[in-house]
Amino acid sequence: MMTNDIKILVIDPLDDEFFNILNGKAIIIKAYDCHQNLIELVRDVTVIVTRSSHKIDKAVIDNAKNLKIIARAGVGLDNIEVDYAVRHGITVISTPDASTRAVAELTIGFIIALARQMSSFDRFMHDGEWCKNSKFGVELVGKTLGIIGLGRIGSQVAKLARTFRMRVIAYDPYISPMKAEKLRVELKKNLDDLLIESDFVSVHASLTSETRGLIGEREFRLMKSTAFLINTARGAIIDENALIKALKEKWIAGAALDVYAEEPLPREHPLRKMENTILTPHIGGSTVEAQKKIARILAMKIMKTLEKLERVG
Ligand code: NAD
């Protein structure tokens, strides 16, 4: 049972559904964008609710003496010291499935926008021009989509891409060949083969010490000069300097990015100046549907975990 002794600190905005479900069951403290004084705020809270913009590091965990749960609204726990938290008896929960469809749909949107050079035509039109025959796009039928990381989102992207009759290949050393077979995806044994064969390379791996900087200069040089890169996973998986070089020197045809090594992307970042790129500000999970799902699932998980902790403790 929850009581008013339970303090839930929410440090990033959430859909109202979260507050409606927990209303009256705990004291809820909203403190958005509290990067500077987070350490102070966590002192007596039972639950910290965060997205990806705040770091829940060792210092924060050490200072939160009553902390029982770190709740991540979304997927990807790379901003949380998970092992350290678990060793201190703290439960870490997240909503891994809630934004899968939203991110997969954004990825497909990027693929189509890149194939049809929508961003440059859009820019021409806004500049008062009508450059109808200045360039031609490509169709997706028969093109090869290379998916790096065939997890929840990667699998959903594979299913959607097949409806466009694309050939889908993937590189993911941690999934079974059976899973790929079921999805009718050709699993590659190494990343190089995927990069060499793909017309579109889409990154859906989790950020780990192994995937940090996975795509660098060497990898961009392996890609076709007509190929596009899409990254809706985590910025640090791509070496951004290498990407800028690859775009400038036309080793690849273009890129679409939703995530960056540093977020928010600095105002003067060279990526903002690149012509053949589409940039969005980490909006993969930003749909009305996904936000409601995240809020509902997270609130229910917090209640269940607190009840369980009370039963055992
Ligand atoms: P997931 O855990 O289901 O899938 C990740 C996959 O990456 C797994 O199958 C894993 O085996 C694979 N992988 C791990 N190491 C790899 C390596 N070295 N090479 C290739 N594959 C490797 O995660 P998910 O829910 O599908 O999320 C995928 C990515 O999308 C994550 O990075 C997540 O943080 C990100 N994400 C972004 C947004 C956004 O708003 N843009 C929203 C949700 C998730």
Side-chain angles (χ1 to χ4, degrees):
M1 285 291 288
M2 300 181 76
T3 71
N4 274 352
D5 296 335
I6 294 160
K7 287 189 184 164
I8 301 179
L9 176 69
V10 184
I11 56 179
D12 285 299
L14 284 179
D15 187 272
D16 286 348
E17 200 131 339
F18 179 85
F19 303 99
N20 294 342
I21 293 172
L22 291 170
N23 192 20
K25 299 186 178 88
I27 298 166
I28 300 182
I29 307 145
K30 292 183 195 174
Y32 304 154
D33 288 326
C34 57
H35 297 270
Q36 307 304 327
N37 58 342
L38 181 58
I39 287 215
E40 296 304 317
L41 287 169
V42 297
R43 263 183 213 293
D44 63 345
V45 303
T46 328
V47 184
I48 301 174
V49 183
T50 182
R51 287 178 176 275
S52 58
S53 60
H54 290 82
K55 290 234 172 312
I56 311 298
D57 54 18
K58 289 178 183 164
V60 172
I61 294 167
D62 284 344
N63 248 36
K65 301 287 179 218
N66 294 339
L67 191 62
K68 300 271 187 295
I69 301 172
I70 300 171
R72 160 80 166 94
V75 61
L77 299 171
D78 38 287
N79 58 323
I80 300 168
E81 286 278 356
V82 177
D83 291 345
Y84 191 73
V86 171
R87 262 187 274 131
H88 284 72
I90 296 160
T91 307
V92 179
I93 58 178
S94 64
T95 56
D97 295 311
S99 53
T100 299
R101 180 74 191 192
V103 183
E105 287 188 9
L106 179 70
T107 304
I108 297 296
F110 276 157
I111 291 173
I112 296 174
L114 288 167
R116 301 305 299 270
Q117 310 201 28
M118 280 188 206
S119 73
S120 51
F121 281 117
D122 176 67
R123 226 167 291 156
F124 288 149
M125 289 300 282
H126 282 99
D127 288 346
E129 294 178 34
W130 186 267
C131 303
K132 183 173 158 56
N133 294 320
S134 61
K135 43 180 134 192
F136 291 101
V138 292
E139 293 175 20
L140 302 187
V141 179
K143 297 292 182 308
T144 299
L145 168 64
I147 293 179
I148 302 174
L150 199 61
R152 285 173 292 260
I153 297 170
S155 301
Q156 185 70 236
V157 170
K159 283 184 199 158
L160 292 172
R162 289 195 52 79
T163 67
F164 290 95
R165 288 191 277 140
M166 296 184 85
R167 170 183 173 237
V168 185
I169 61 177
Y171 170 69
D172 187 330
Y174 301 106
I175 62 145
S176 72
M178 277 255 289
K179 177 177 177 180
E181 211 174 293
K182 263 194 188 158
L183 289 162
R184 289 194 285 154
V185 168
E186 196 186 315
L187 197 58
K188 293 286 169 190
K189 286 206 169 63
N190 63 71
L191 180 60
D192 288 5
D193 289 348
L194 178 139
L195 296 168
I196 291 166
E197 289 181 34
S198 298
D199 299 298
F200 297 85
V201 172
S202 195
V203 184
H204 301 288
S206 31
L207 177 61
T208 63
S209 53
E210 200 185 27
T211 61
R212 190 175 287 277
L214 186 69
I215 316 281
E217 258 195 45
R218 181 189 160 278
E219 287 68 30
F220 283 118
R221 282 182 188 275
L222 290 176
M223 288 173 66
K224 297 179 187 177
S225 60
T226 51
F228 298 99
L229 175 92
I230 299 107
N231 186 11
T232 59
R234 283 291 177 266
I237 298 174
I238 307 287
D239 174 343
E240 286 174 354
N241 290 328
L243 171 62
I244 290 162
K245 198 166 173 190
L247 290 165
K248 274 189 185 154
E249 298 189 7
K250 304 215 180 307
W251 301 341
I252 64 169
L257 308 174
D258 186 45
V259 286
Y260 310 89
E262 185 186 346
E263 295 186 7
L265 185 69
R267 216 164 235 287
E268 297 305 321
H269 197 287
L271 273 173
R272 293 191 190 260
K273 310 274 182 318
M274 304 304 304
E275 288 232 327
N276 38 355
T277 52
I278 301 172
L279 307 178
T280 52
H282 203 147
I283 55 153
S286 302
T287 64
V288 174
E289 293 84 350
Q291 292 313 304
K292 283 203 181 304
K293 239 187 280 178
I294 287 172
R296 192 173 54 244
I297 295 171
L298 205 64
M300 301 307 286
K301 278 192 176 181
I302 289 174
M303 289 213 299
K304 273 203 181 133
T305 310
L306 284 170
E307 279 167 12
K308 193 170 137 198
L309 289 174
E310 208 179 64
R311 270 203 308 276
V312 294

